[in-house]
Amino acid sequence: AQSVTQLDSQVPVFEEAPVELRCNYSSSVSVYLFWYVQYPNQGLQLLLKYLSGSTLVKGINGFEAEFNKSQTSFHLRKPSVHISDTAEYFCAVSVRGFKTIFGAGTRLFVKA
Amino acid sequence: DGGITQSPKYLFRKEGQNVTLSCEQNLNHDAMYWYRQDPGQGLRLIYYSQIVNDFQKGDIAEGYSVSREKKESFPLTVTSAQKNPTAFYLCASSIVGLGNTGELFFGEGSRLTVL
């Protein structure tokens, strides 16, 4: 069975500082990996995804993530955050498109 | 614009009442899903459907029911048997078959509060 662990439930950071949101997964087979963002009282929208190929994936809003197979990690990074990045971020995995599993989420607070 | 529409956005109900949450999509996706979101618990799968007139229980189906009479629609009923129904409910859809990566497209959610 697959599982996803988001290592930080909350991450406070000052505006214009870099941020990393950590995600580890467990799976005995190859997986597809995703990061979604959720703004308050809204649905989730896709930030980026890793399917195959280059391990560094670029997404919307200046975010990027690196797939590390040996570490079974898929950490999300942004070099300089804005107040508008305050949201909850979810890491997710799926095995060939079957049953997507979500982590518990990381709340990113960007302070002025 | 293609997307998923959930209604109502906010819903208040008394304990013991059944409520139905609407989910409609015009993305021409075969698969539709209902998730429940509680603070600090991520998203938990309630029911999913990969084809019209067929649906499967997810991880927390007890106290919920669904129907899939049309490709575009997947309503969720929260019954009086659901012990703790106050939550944020999210509907999602995806393609099925070749090209399906597990990427989900979400609606804006429905917040149910039971008084």
Side-chain angles (χ1 to χ4, degrees):
Chain A
Q2 291 73 44
S3 66
V4 180
T5 303
Q6 291 186 240
L7 295 152
D8 307 290
S9 59
Q10 298 186 56
V11 174
V13 63
F14 284 103
E15 194 174 19
E16 297 183 9
V19 70
E20 178 180 79
L21 306 184
R22 298 178 294 166
C23 173
N24 285 99
Y25 69 93
S26 172
S27 176
S28 57
V29 297
S30 296
V31 296
Y32 298 134
L33 295 153
F34 307 85
W35 276 100
Y36 291 85
V37 60
Q38 183 182 35
Y39 300 102
N41 290 311
Q42 293 187 26
L44 279 67
Q45 66 181 88
L46 184 71
L47 266 182
L48 48 78
K49 59 188 174 187
Y50 173 78
L51 305 180
S52 65
S54 173
T55 57
L56 184 63
V57 180
K58 293 191 184 297
I60 62 171
N61 301 341
F63 283 93
E64 63 182 31
E66 185 154 21
F67 170 59
N68 187 320
K69 189 174 182 179
S70 62
Q71 303 284 331
T72 60
S73 68
F74 190 53
H75 301 334
L76 181 70
R77 300 185 183 103
K78 187 170 182 179
S80 175
V81 294
H82 303 288
I83 296 286
S84 59
D85 292 322
T86 294
E88 188 154 22
Y89 293 79
F90 291 93
C91 183
V93 301
S94 78
V95 177
R96 294 187 183 85
F98 179 73
K99 196 174 182 186
T100 302
I101 306 294
F102 288 86
T106 297
R107 288 188 177 273
L108 175 64
F109 295 101
V110 181
K111 301 177 284 186
Chain B
D1 283 335
I4 299 180
T5 302
Q6 289 187 239
S7 62
K9 178 79 173 171
Y10 299 95
L11 186 59
F12 297 88
R13 278 295 180 267
K14 291 183 180 178
E15 221 172 286
Q17 289 182 329
N18 291 358
V19 299
T20 297
L21 307 181
S22 170
C23 178
E24 304 276 333
Q25 57 102 356
N26 61 3
L27 298 168
N28 199 32
H29 287 169
D30 286 303
M32 296 187 74
Y33 310 79
W34 275 105
Y35 287 90
R36 171 178 171 140
Q37 185 178 15
D38 296 283
Q41 295 195 47
L43 277 67
R44 293 183 290 168
L45 183 63
I46 305 172
Y47 268 99
Y48 65 99
S49 166
Q50 294 192 302
I51 195 168
V52 173
N53 292 323
D54 187 49
F55 47 83
Q56 306 296 327
K57 292 183 180 180
D59 301 314
I60 57 163
E62 186 176 348
Y64 299 97
S65 66
V66 293
S67 63
R68 187 87 187 275
E69 296 176 4
K70 299 186 301 181
K71 184 176 182 177
E72 301 79 17
S73 178
F74 192 41
L76 173 73
T77 297
V78 184
T79 76
S80 56
Q82 168 49 233
K83 290 183 171 42
N84 184 18
T86 294
F88 192 55
Y89 291 89
L90 286 159
C91 180
S93 70
S94 74
I95 65 174
V96 171
L98 189 64
N100 179 23
T101 63
E103 179 179 346
L104 299 172
F105 296 78
F106 285 87
E108 292 289 291
S110 292
R111 185 168 297 281
L112 172 63
T113 302
V114 175
L115 306 171

